[in-house]
Amino acid sequence: MIGRFAPSPTGRMHLGNVYSALLSWLSAKSQGGGWLLRIEDLDPQRSRRVYAEQLEDDLRWLGLTWDAGGIEDPQYVQSNRSGIYEAHLATLQAKGLTYPCYCSRADILATQAPHESDGRVVYQGTCRPDGTETKAEWLKARALACPHAPAIRIQVPDCDICFTDLHYGPQQFNLAKECGDFILRRADGAWAYQLAVVVDDLLMGVSEVVRGRDLLSSVPQQLFLYETLGYKAPDFCHLPLLCNESGQRLCKRDQSLHMGTLREHFSAEEIIGKLACFAHLTDRQEAISAQELISLFDWHKVPTADLRISPDAIFNN
Ligand code: GLU
Ligand code: ZN
């Protein structure tokens, strides 16, 4: 059994990131499994090595140690893995499933995991060839008029993808209607999250993916890629989100709940203790180490409803 944590080094970790890391670590450790740290630095504009270094320092300080990966091991840093993504893209291209997309800016966000609250739109297939001469001519003209290289999209069939999330239960999504043809490589050459995450999880032997439930709706795209590439998919186990007082998923802008501030006020055991209580693993916010929590961990105790937390509840408790 192998679990993983796959953060994007685009800022200091906040309490929500730590919650995901902790539960993924506990799930792996309670099954006697390994836990990998993969650095998802696909977006050259937003990723910084110092954030990855800070992230590792925060994880070590919390006692969430990894068995493989991290920045010392270039194999686990996505920006070093272009050749591997290239080879898998070639496999998909050889199956005739991809096409160039000339739409401008449409692909900008592709390197980031599409968190539900970001409200992304389903691509309507503007550049998808439909086998007619007219469309082929139109696409040729578009290609000539396009000032930059095209992005590459994969064509999805109009079918339902069904799977069982280990925490949220049975799920069903229509690939064409709810996901649409999605980007594998951006126009500027950056690799898209969906392709990289699948290729990495499969090559790294990940058997269980634990992450926030705002990525639950990325599972159909990922299952489609596993199936098309001919690999078995890992188990997916999504988590309720930690939200701020207005009900929005905590993000890197929520300054008061990032690790810099938290480490000034609390010990590692105090932070783990608060998160353990939020996850219903304990009934009071009492200091406890990650190691001690392993024996108390049980997915059945973890709630499915999102959690609203205010800085007050954190700092005055
Ligand atoms: N790197 C992604 C993020 O930080 C997480 C991807 C995943 O866990 O699949 O949003
Ligand atoms: Zn297009």
Side-chain angles (χ1 to χ4, degrees), residues 99-104 123-146 153:
Y99 62 87
C101 168
Y102 307 98
C103 302
S104 57
Y123 182 67
Q124 292 303 313
T126 315
C127 301
R128 186 198 307 137
D130 62 6
T132 66
E133 191 71 13
T134 332
K135 183 85 183 237
E137 287 297 323
W138 184 78
L139 287 173
K140 206 185 288 170
R142 241 172 111 78
L144 285 172
C146 181
R153 283 187 191 268

Side-chain angles (χ1 to χ4, degrees), residues 27-306:
S27 182
K29 295 296 147 185
S30 65
Q31 297 174 67
W35 195 65
L36 307 180
L37 176 62
R38 182 172 69 238
I39 307 297
E40 303 213 320
D41 59 346
L42 288 175
D43 189 339
Q45 273 88 49
R46 297 171 71 236
S47 305
R48 299 276 178 277
R49 187 172 167 101
V50 293
Y51 291 138
E53 287 165 356
Q54 244 174 10
L55 202 144
E56 293 199 347
D57 185 61
D58 287 337
L59 288 175
R60 283 201 190 92
W61 182 82
L62 288 160
L64 301 177
T65 48
W66 50 99
D67 304 297
I71 40 181
E72 277 73 54
D73 193 340
Q75 277 304 306
Y76 290 85
V77 178
Q78 289 188 325
S79 56
N80 297 321
R81 296 173 61 77
S82 280
I84 298 170
Y85 307 138
E86 191 80 59
H88 286 82
L89 174 65
T91 305
L92 297 167
Q93 282 174 321
K95 290 179 189 286
L97 290 171
T98 64
Y99 62 87
C101 168
Y102 307 98
C103 302
S104 57
R105 284 194 60 85
D107 57 344
I108 280 314
L109 297 167
T111 49
Q112 300 166 41
H115 297 281
E116 214 171 69
S117 49
D118 303 348
R120 255 157 250 197
V121 287
V122 175
Y123 182 67
Q124 292 303 313
T126 315
C127 301
R128 186 198 307 137
D130 62 6
T132 66
E133 191 71 13
T134 332
K135 183 85 183 237
E137 287 297 323
W138 184 78
L139 287 173
K140 206 185 288 170
R142 241 172 111 78
L144 285 172
C146 181
H148 51 75
I152 307 286
R153 283 187 191 268
I154 187 160
Q155 193 169 328
V156 299
D158 184 359
C159 70
D160 286 345
I161 295 258
C162 301
F163 63 95
T164 300
D165 183 83
L166 292 188
H167 198 51
Y168 284 90
Q171 306 289 321
Q172 184 174 351
F173 291 87
N174 183 279
L175 267 181
K177 294 185 192 72
E178 291 171 87
C179 310
D181 297 349
F182 58 92
I183 288 183
L184 301 177
R185 198 177 63 197
R186 298 195 329 197
D188 65 0
W191 295 98
Y193 159 74
Q194 302 291 6
L195 177 69
V197 78
V198 165
V199 167
D200 287 351
D201 281 336
L202 75 87
L203 292 180
M204 293 173 188
V206 170
S207 55
E208 183 186 89
V209 169
V210 176
R211 59 189 178 195
R213 68 151 190 86
D214 52 339
L215 288 174
L216 187 60
S217 56
S218 279
V219 176
Q221 285 97 312
Q222 294 172 13
L223 287 176
F224 173 65
L225 288 178
Y226 279 104
E227 198 185 306
T228 311
L229 291 166
Y231 292 89
K232 185 183 173 304
D235 288 332
F236 291 98
C237 193
H238 288 81
L239 291 169
L241 304 177
L242 293 196
C243 299
N244 62 23
E245 289 151 300
S246 28
Q248 288 147 338
R249 171 174 64 94
L250 286 188
C251 70
K252 288 175 178 145
R253 285 183 301 275
D254 289 308
Q255 291 293 320
S256 60
L257 296 178
H258 78 43
M259 281 300 283
T261 314
L262 293 168
R263 281 176 69 165
E264 282 169 20
H265 289 84
F266 303 110
S267 67
E269 288 73 19
E270 282 168 332
I271 296 175
I272 302 277
K274 287 175 191 296
L275 292 173
C277 179
F278 295 158
H280 297 188
L281 299 175
T282 55
D283 34 283
R284 275 189 299 139
Q285 294 190 18
E286 241 166 22
I288 186 167
S289 71
Q291 198 66 39
E292 287 169 306
L293 256 189
I294 298 175
S295 62
L296 299 178
F297 181 75
D298 179 354
W299 274 116
H300 295 105
K301 297 181 189 166
V302 181
T304 51
D306 291 345

